[in-house]
Amino acid sequence: NAGLFSRPPPGSFALDVTLLDPRSARSEGLLGGAADETAAQMTAAGETATSSYPSEGAVVAAASAAVLAYLYPDESAYLEGLLRDQEVALLLAGAAFPSDVEAAVLLGRRVAEVVIDHARSDGSDLVGMVTVPVGPGYWTGNDPLRPLWDRVVPWTTEDITLYRPGPPPAYGSPEFAASLEEVRRIADGRTEEERRIAEFWADGPGTYTPPGHWNAIACQLIEDRGLGELESARTLAVLNIALMDAGISCWDAKYHYWLLRPWMADPEINTSVARPPFPSYTSGHATFSGAASAVLGCIFPDDGDEIAAMAEEAAASRLYGGIHYRFDNDEGLRSGRTIGRAAVEMVMKKGC
């Protein structure tokens, strides 16, 4: 819509106006540090934008507030307050007219309604009992976590099984025995650095979990590179499409193969992080990290090597913690990267 109407932003009508944005040459240094974090996020519209109708900042804020209120209804009042602050900041910064903001909020809420309608029917609320297979090599337990998650509607494919990796090494085979021995060897001589890595990437229940960890990494990259509203929104959209499908695919593999965890195969293995209540193959941390690294490495190519190294470390952390075999991590990274590349092609209409 902004391209359709091409309305100049307020700052373009009065070049003697001091724009409240520390990134603007016309801010005259009036804002410093964290004096006004909200205004600091506003674009110097009179210098960089081609149109202010509807406001990019307000449409992103309105859509975000509505979706987050659906997910966290107890926070609705707080989120509405943040949206109001954003609207006021856009006006005070000289980045938008009141009508720009009003139109954007309506548009953002409409987009959010479409997203919320999708969420209500994507199968993520499915519950039900599953039959846990019994026998050598199978995971044991009474209450596996989210065994129906493979039925959630994915974004990048119509058939999530297309991402399913081949089977893990057969239980009792020389390859499996060697992998199990590696877990035991690391657990018996775990170094302080390995312990630190395991704990840093643990992201267990009650934390922002692995997808949240990668969102935090993405937000830091966005801030460091000074991306605008639309670039930031696209980055987070591609990332979370990839993370969502990575989770669906990983859980499909877990409950297709039902592989036992290392400590179930060898009770002498000591673990340094929480023991997850679901099968081993493939690693969720590795799959999420592979997907995230493929997306972020594409969008931030100058940081590609560092991002890839973080994904490798996140995957290895589960081996160091004693809760995954190396092949869980290797296959998780591989399938995650495939999903990440698919998400990039879906949204950006091109590969890297």
Side-chain angles (χ1 to χ4, degrees), residues 4-335:
L4 175 64
F5 294 106
S6 299
R7 178 198 236 179
S12 66
F13 291 100
L15 297 180
D16 59 337
V17 171
T18 299
L19 298 177
L20 296 181
D21 187 329
R23 293 174 296 178
S24 169
R26 290 158 55 198
S27 69
E28 299 181 2
L30 294 180
L31 291 182
D36 188 344
E37 291 187 10
T38 305
Q41 296 172 9
M42 301 301 103
T43 301
E47 301 167 34
T48 61
T50 57
S51 176
S52 65
Y53 183 88
S55 163
E56 295 173 359
V59 75
V60 171
S64 300
V67 171
L68 289 172
Y70 165 72
L71 295 170
Y72 305 100
D74 292 344
E75 304 295 335
S76 294
Y78 168 70
L79 292 164
E80 275 300 304
L82 290 181
L83 176 58
R84 297 285 85 80
D85 289 346
Q86 182 93 9
E87 294 172 16
V88 171
L90 284 161
L91 299 176
L92 293 178
F97 293 101
S99 56
D100 298 334
V101 173
E102 292 167 7
V105 169
L106 288 174
L107 177 59
R109 292 191 192 280
R110 288 174 183 169
V111 171
E113 287 174 5
V114 174
V115 174
I116 292 169
D117 284 344
H118 175 88
R120 289 194 177 106
S121 60
D122 70 354
S124 58
D125 58 350
L126 285 176
V127 294
M129 301 295 293
V130 295
T131 301
V132 179
V134 177
Y138 286 123
W139 180 87
T140 55
N142 299 318
D143 190 20
L145 181 68
R146 296 193 180 279
L148 302 181
W149 197 251
D150 64 304
R151 302 184 192 179
V152 177
V153 178
W155 292 93
T156 61
T157 180
E158 294 183 358
D159 182 3
I160 201 66
T161 64
L162 294 176
Y163 294 133
R164 183 186 295 164
Y171 178 70
S173 68
E175 185 180 357
F176 179 89
S179 296
L180 179 61
E181 172 58 27
E182 180 184 28
V183 180
R184 174 69 180 272
R185 185 173 67 254
I186 290 174
D188 287 347
R190 190 177 290 118
T191 67
E192 285 304 311
E193 177 63 4
E194 289 170 342
R195 187 181 299 276
R196 182 197 67 78
I197 291 172
E199 292 176 355
F200 176 77
W201 291 101
D203 298 332
T207 72
Y208 52 18
T209 71
H213 198 149
W214 280 102
N215 270 271
I217 292 169
C219 288
Q220 188 62 58
L221 288 166
I222 287 170
E223 182 177 349
D224 291 345
R225 302 297 173 267
L227 269 59
E229 284 90 348
L230 299 186
E231 291 175 309
S232 300
R234 184 184 68 164
T235 296
L236 294 175
V238 182
L239 173 64
N240 285 285
I241 285 171
L243 288 170
M244 185 67 179
D245 279 11
I248 300 170
S249 175
C250 181
W251 259 243
D252 166 70
K254 286 182 181 296
Y255 291 110
H256 180 75
Y257 295 112
W258 287 94
L259 183 68
L260 79 173
R261 291 278 180 168
W263 72 84
M264 296 175 176
D266 181 354
E268 295 299 317
I269 289 175
N270 70 83
T271 57
S272 65
V273 294
R275 297 180 172 186
F278 41 79
S280 192
Y281 183 79
T282 56
S283 161
H285 275 59
T287 309
F288 288 127
S289 298
S293 65
V295 171
L296 296 179
C298 176
I299 297 174
F300 303 100
D302 291 345
D303 301 283
D305 290 344
E306 182 180 358
I307 292 167
M310 285 192 286
E312 293 281 351
E313 183 178 279
S317 74
R318 310 309 270 172
L319 174 62
Y320 297 156
I323 63 173
H324 270 295
Y325 313 96
R326 184 178 295 275
F327 56 75
D328 291 342
N329 299 333
D330 291 344
E331 283 301 312
L333 284 170
R334 186 196 59 76
S335 60

